Amino acid sequence: MGLGMDKCCCFIPLRLGTFIIALWFFVVYLFDAVTGFMGSNAVTIYSGQSAKAWYYIGLLLTVIICVGGFFGVIGSLFASRRFAKAFSIIAWINCVLSIVKYVISLALMAVNRDDLVRSCQRSGFVGFDNNQVPLSPTVLSESTYYSPVRYPGTLNAHATSLEDCQSIIKTFLIAYGVVIFIVLLLQIYFAKVVTNYSSRLRNGARHHRLHDQQIKDFEESRYHMSTVY
């Protein structure tokens, strides 16, 4: 697309595209934050289990990105140069924060993969039907005779076998790595679109000021010529 792009995703006008991008940051990260607080977001729970402080830091970064998106939604409705300029900066900040959030979360989960497997054995995989909190790493018996037992209404209600958990966690980490790579590339493109929209508004305003000044100069020159003759 380059610096001369005049459409978002080849066919969406820049103003509408900026609104959709702001909505993306607001809705996606609001959903991320809500599911994290509810305990149904596997990334938030497992990365927070690996490093307790990261649970709160990750949620804080998510909320900041969400608020930035909300600011962009409001600003893009008015086509204000100041809002567009501010959101073009916010969009890049959101990109940086999301890179930090996703990469550190993935690294923590990959390094502590065995803890994730044991947590899955004890309580099952985190999901909408299996809300959890970021507990300390699970310690399970290493006996070959050990197998998880499910007790309804307890942490063990969704207990899962070692083989199943190893497969689930492996698939989860690979899928998460692929998804965040795509999302981060998409968000970098979004930030470029917003920056281009801001530049268009700024250049348009400069063009109008120059045009108005040329008209003013022309009118003044006509006035002076009429007074001479």
Side-chain angles (χ1 to χ4, degrees), residues 44-99:
T44 301
I45 298 303
Y46 286 140
S47 61
Q49 176 182 291
S50 302
K52 186 70 174 180
W54 181 249
Y55 171 75
Y56 300 101
I57 295 172
L59 283 176
L60 177 61
L61 294 179
T62 303
V63 171
I64 291 174
I65 296 171
C66 178
V67 171
F70 179 73
F71 178 86
V73 169
I74 300 302
S76 60
L77 292 175
F78 299 100
S80 165
R81 294 194 304 276
R82 291 183 179 180
F83 271 113
K85 177 62 177 177
F87 185 55
S88 68
I89 298 172
I90 290 172
W92 284 109
I93 293 175
N94 282 357
C95 285
V96 173
L97 293 180
S98 60
I99 289 172

Side-chain angles (χ1 to χ4, degrees), residues 12-194:
I12 302 175
L14 286 180
R15 180 179 176 182
L16 178 59
T18 298
F19 174 77
I20 294 173
I21 290 167
L23 202 61
W24 160 277
F25 281 116
F26 175 60
V27 173
V28 170
Y29 288 90
L30 177 63
F31 177 79
D32 193 355
V34 170
T35 54
F37 283 117
M38 290 175 58
S40 56
N41 187 320
V43 175
T44 301
I45 298 303
Y46 286 140
S47 61
Q49 176 182 291
S50 302
K52 186 70 174 180
W54 181 249
Y55 171 75
Y56 300 101
I57 295 172
L59 283 176
L60 177 61
L61 294 179
T62 303
V63 171
I64 291 174
I65 296 171
C66 178
V67 171
F70 179 73
F71 178 86
V73 169
I74 300 302
S76 60
L77 292 175
F78 299 100
S80 165
R81 294 194 304 276
R82 291 183 179 180
F83 271 113
K85 177 62 177 177
F87 185 55
S88 68
I89 298 172
I90 290 172
W92 284 109
I93 293 175
N94 282 357
C95 285
V96 173
L97 293 180
S98 60
I99 289 172
V100 171
K101 169 184 164 63
Y102 291 141
V103 171
I104 292 180
S105 294
L106 180 60
L108 285 173
M109 292 188 295
V111 170
N112 297 280
R113 178 178 171 180
D114 291 340
D115 289 337
L116 270 61
V117 171
R118 285 192 289 270
S119 179
C120 174
Q121 280 185 269
R122 177 196 60 195
S123 306
F125 188 76
V126 174
F128 291 107
D129 61 341
N130 186 23
N131 296 343
Q132 297 182 28
V133 294
L135 301 171
S136 300
T138 306
V139 178
L140 298 177
S141 172
E142 297 182 358
S143 170
T144 55
Y145 299 102
Y146 172 80
S147 61
V149 179
R150 297 185 177 187
Y151 292 99
T154 68
L155 287 173
N156 302 85
H158 297 274
T160 308
S161 68
L162 174 62
E163 292 76 15
D164 288 343
C165 282
Q166 287 176 330
S167 176
I168 291 171
I169 295 301
K170 179 181 179 180
T171 302
F172 166 66
L173 291 177
I174 293 174
Y176 180 66
V178 173
V179 169
I180 64 170
F181 177 74
I182 295 172
V183 168
L184 291 177
L185 287 181
L186 186 64
Q187 291 186 165
I188 290 173
Y189 171 73
F190 284 168
K192 289 183 177 181
V193 171
V194 175

